[in-house]
């Protein structure tokens, strides 16, 4: 059920706040009905009437709800007065924020209605870093062995998340890392495997050709199949995080841009939200998970972060049956070029039955602000990526059947930022370097724990915290 009041702002809830106005339609969803003394308001006012039945049209498809799986979610309007005070405000409900909100709502128990999540767009929108059908989850990463323990923990959390969400989020295909023998990416993957005793399979050139004939393999190419890894479903992850947070009682405001956060002299924070009806919310704490927009809200992050456009492309194979998840693992591939460099491609088996994702990564420059990101990759770049994809996989038709442009915030040394300010009132997770999705359930939990004054298991403050980042970047 979707209604729009107050300039399109939505509030998503599934638990009745004590003594507050509730929609009359919520009685059937909440097991015990509205709390005693609650007002009942009509949330149907903006829904069109279906002329054939004379009743209001069911708009639930805008935010699918599977009640049989216990994921009942309700979007209803609220008056401003309901949320002037909060225990914690989570700003930005994309990858990290949707899961941090769920963590906060679980931790808050009976006070979960004082956990407020705010998103500038609608729930699970197309503008964030999380869109594009799939993400790669790797345990043995090119980024270095230091991340392996955290990724093993993240993997456990992915399994748990998909169980409680009741939908598949993790695709256990394994990840095939391919490259010339001796190249750095393969060496780092091997280091991750060796230092952490990870299950993995080594393939020499002949074995690689035999087992994965989809790949055009050069003499000297080898592969490491990281069998704990695979793919992730990003939009469904954010949807699951929001549903679970709502079910745990969190208050969710969408289409609500935050324009400022200020620390209060006597403790806590004041969050200003813009739009047609600007207002402030006073909260004990804030968690900023604003992705590529984080630098706009937190000056302490602005000089660390740049925004990188990242494109995604999909190609149609002539023989789609060779590219199904059971035969074609998620891959990361580096190939030696004539000038001795490496060209890179990553991708995911077919999820739509006619195309595979094969994408080249960051080819579009670096910007200070997300507003500068081009809307689409240009024709020349698409042709270039298509030629690479066809060289790597001769069965692919070189013209992309789908292409899209996205973005992510990057730090100078490609290390993610997860930390809390020195007052302990503003925690943040940002600067995920085109790599953060795999960590999402872990970083969502970390940023929530840091905000609540706890020290997360496996958290390395010097590496992830703001002071360490600023020191490594040579910033005061
Ligand atoms: C094309 C592409 C491919 C990628 N591939 C992989 C991969 O294979 N594996 C992997 O692990 N990672 C991958 N990544 C990286 C990963 O997707 C990102 O690191 C991750 O999604 C970032 O999450 P986030 O929460 O920081 O940002 P987002 O998910 O963008 O969330 C930020 C949210 O904050 C909201 N917001 C911002 N400002 C405000 C405001 N002022 N008020 C209210 N709301 C606000 C935004 O609207 C958004 O919803 C990829 C990224 C891209 C772009």
């Amino acid at each position: 059920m979707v209604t729009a009041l107050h300039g399109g702002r939505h509030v998503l809830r599934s638990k009745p706040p004590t003594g507050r106005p509730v929609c009359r339609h919520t009685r059937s969803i909440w097991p015990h009905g509205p709390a005693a003394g609650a007002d009942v308001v009509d949330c149907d006012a903006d829904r069109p009437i279906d002329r054939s039945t004379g009743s209001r049209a069911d708009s639930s498809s805008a935010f699918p709800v599977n009640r049989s799986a216990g994921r009942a979610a309700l979007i209803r309007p609220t008056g401003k007065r309901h949320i002037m005070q909060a225990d914690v405000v989570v700003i930005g409900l994309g990858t990290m924020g949707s899961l941090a909100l769920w963590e906060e709502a679980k931790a808050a128990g009976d006070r979960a209605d004082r956990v407020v999540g705010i998103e500038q767009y609608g729930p699970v929108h197309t503008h964030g870093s999380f869109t594009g059908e799939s993400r790669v989850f790797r345990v043995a990463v090119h980024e270095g062995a230091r991340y392996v323990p955290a990724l093993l923990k993240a993997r456990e959390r992915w399994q748990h998340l998909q169980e409680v969400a009741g939908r598949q989020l993790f695709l256990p295909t394994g990840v095939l890392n391919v490259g010339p023998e001796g190249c750095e990416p393969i060496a780092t993957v091997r280091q991750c495997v060796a230092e952490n005793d990870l299950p993995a399979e080594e393939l020499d050139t002949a074995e690689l050709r035999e087992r994965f004939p989809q790949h055009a393999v050069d003499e000297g190419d080898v592969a490491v199949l990281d069998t704990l890894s695979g793919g992730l479903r990003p939009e469904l992850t954010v949807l699951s995080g929001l549903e679970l947070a709502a079910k745990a009682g969190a208050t969710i405001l969408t289409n609500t841009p935050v324009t400022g956060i200020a620390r209060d002299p006597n403790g806590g924070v004041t969050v200003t939200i813009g739009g047609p009806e600007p207002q402030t919310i006073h909260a004990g704490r804030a968690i900023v998970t604003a992705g590529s927009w984080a630098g706009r809200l937190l000056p302490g992050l602005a000089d660390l972060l740049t925004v990188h456009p990242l494109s995604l492309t999909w190609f149609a194979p002539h023989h789609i049956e060779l590219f199904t998840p059971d035969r074609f693992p998620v891959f990361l591939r580096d190939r030696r070029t004539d000038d001795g460099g490496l060209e890179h491609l990553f991708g995911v088996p077919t999820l739509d039955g006619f195309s595979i994702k094969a994408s080249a990564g960051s080819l579009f420059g670096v910007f200070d602000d997300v507003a500068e990101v081009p809307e689409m990759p240009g024709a020349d770049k698409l042709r270039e990526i298509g030629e690479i994809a066809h060289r790597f996989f001769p069965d692919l038709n070189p013209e992309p059947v789908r292409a899209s442009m996205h973005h992510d915030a990057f730090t100078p040394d490609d290390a993610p930022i997860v930390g809390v300010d020195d007052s302990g009132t503003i925690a943040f997770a940002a600067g995920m370097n085109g790599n953060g999705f795999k960590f999402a359930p872990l970083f969502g939990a970390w940023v929530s724990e840091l905000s609540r004054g706890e020290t997360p298991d496996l958290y390395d403050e010097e590496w992830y915290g703001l002071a360490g980042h600023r020191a490594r970047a040579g910033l005061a």
Side-chain angles (χ1 to χ4, degrees):
M1 179 182 301
V2 177
T3 57
L5 287 189
H6 309 305
R9 252 171 229 165
H10 295 149
V11 174
L12 166 66
R13 299 188 48 81
S14 67
K15 204 171 169 183
T18 313
R20 300 206 173 134
V22 294
C23 163
R24 60 191 164 81
H25 295 95
T26 57
R27 292 177 197 276
S28 59
I29 293 175
W30 293 330
H32 308 298
D39 299 332
V40 176
V41 298
D42 189 346
C43 67
D44 271 359
D46 287 357
R47 280 201 291 147
I49 292 176
D50 180 334
R51 290 183 193 284
S52 60
T53 62
S55 59
R56 299 272 173 192
D58 179 6
S59 53
S60 60
S61 60
F63 194 80
V65 169
N66 179 348
R67 293 194 173 85
S68 63
R71 295 199 296 260
L74 176 72
I75 298 177
R76 70 177 186 85
T78 189
K80 282 197 266 182
R81 67 188 187 283
H82 305 152
I83 48 154
M84 294 298 285
Q85 303 284 338
D87 287 350
V88 59
V89 175
V90 179
I91 299 164
L93 303 181
T95 312
M96 305 299 161
S98 59
L99 296 170
L101 188 71
W102 177 41
E103 296 293 336
E104 285 290 333
K106 281 188 293 182
D110 288 349
R111 288 176 67 90
D113 62 310
R114 293 177 62 88
V115 173
V116 177
I118 307 181
E119 167 55 49
Q120 63 182 341
Y121 296 113
V124 198
H125 54 83
T126 57
H127 310 277
S129 297
F130 60 82
T131 53
E133 186 185 75
S134 57
R135 288 290 182 269
V136 179
F137 176 87
R138 292 168 290 139
V139 176
V141 282
H142 294 184
E143 291 72 24
R146 72 161 63 240
Y147 294 109
V148 175
L151 286 163
L152 287 168
K153 180 55 78 180
R155 191 176 185 278
E156 283 173 25
R157 287 183 172 267
W158 278 111
Q159 307 291 350
H160 175 66
L161 176 61
Q162 67 177 359
E163 264 166 44
V164 291
R167 58 165 69 92
Q168 187 177 18
L169 302 174
F170 181 80
L171 311 171
T173 64
V175 169
L176 189 68
N177 297 275
V178 182
E181 180 61 81
C183 73
E184 199 182 325
I186 291 289
T188 313
V189 166
R190 284 182 176 146
Q191 186 193 357
C192 293
V193 169
E195 287 182 8
N196 297 278
D197 203 15
L198 299 176
E201 293 177 43
E202 288 270 358
L203 285 85
D204 64 21
T205 310
E207 289 164 336
L208 181 55
R209 285 187 177 137
E210 160 94 27
R211 190 141 154 218
F212 298 107
Q214 308 90 338
H215 289 259
V217 175
D218 295 331
E219 212 42 54
D221 277 355
V222 294
V224 182
L225 180 61
D226 166 6
T227 54
L228 285 181
S229 298
L232 296 166
R233 299 307 303 258
E235 291 88 350
L236 293 178
T237 298
V238 176
L239 181 66
S240 300
L242 293 181
E243 286 174 347
L244 290 166
K247 193 172 172 215
T251 299
I252 298 177
L253 292 173
T254 57
N255 296 304
T256 304
V258 168
T259 52
I261 309 164
R263 264 161 47 177
D264 296 335
N266 302 325
V269 287
T270 298
V271 173
T272 307
I273 54 184
E277 284 189 77
Q279 69 176 79
T280 53
I281 301 176
H282 298 286
R285 302 176 277 126
I287 296 176
V288 180
T289 43
S292 299
W293 294 262
R296 289 189 188 174
L297 290 174
L298 295 179
L301 299 188
D303 53 356
L304 275 173
L305 297 178
T306 50
V307 178
H308 292 217
L310 298 166
S311 70
L312 292 174
T313 37
W314 287 258
F315 297 89
H318 296 287
H319 299 89
I320 192 69
E321 67 278 9
L322 295 175
F323 293 89
T324 51
D326 54 326
R327 299 180 72 173
F328 183 69
V330 168
F331 70 89
L332 262 76
R333 177 108 193 251
D334 290 284
R335 203 163 185 199
R336 191 72 71 201
T337 53
D338 291 342
D339 62 5
L342 288 175
E343 59 187 5
H344 179 75
L345 211 65
F346 68 94
V348 175
T350 184
L351 300 177
D352 59 13
F354 75 97
S355 71
I356 69 160
K357 181 189 272 184
S359 302
S362 180
L363 300 172
F364 302 89
V366 176
F367 298 95
D368 288 331
D369 192 89
V370 65
E372 299 166 76
V373 172
E375 279 190 10
M376 274 296 286
D380 287 355
K381 281 289 179 218
L382 288 180
R383 201 168 305 118
E384 189 187 320
I385 297 167
E387 283 165 9
I388 297 173
H390 184 65
R391 274 203 298 279
F392 280 48
F393 302 101
D395 198 58
L396 295 187
N397 186 45
E399 184 70 18
V401 288
R402 184 152 48 118
S404 52
M405 187 65 102
H406 311 266
H407 50 78
D408 203 3
F410 279 63
T411 61
D413 62 1
D414 287 350
I417 303 173
V418 187
V420 63
D421 73 349
D422 46 16
S423 74
T425 47
I426 303 178
F428 36 80
M432 295 295 154
N433 308 294
N435 247 318
F437 206 86
K438 58 180 72 58
F439 292 99
L442 185 71
F443 285 178
W446 277 8
V447 74
S448 163
E449 287 168 37
L450 287 168
S451 176
R452 286 182 277 122
E454 296 170 15
T455 305
D457 192 25
L458 297 176
Y459 176 71
D460 175 352
E461 186 180 355
E462 223 174 288
W463 186 251
Y464 296 101
L466 188 56
H469 271 278
R470 295 191 69 78
R472 290 198 300 277
L475 298 166

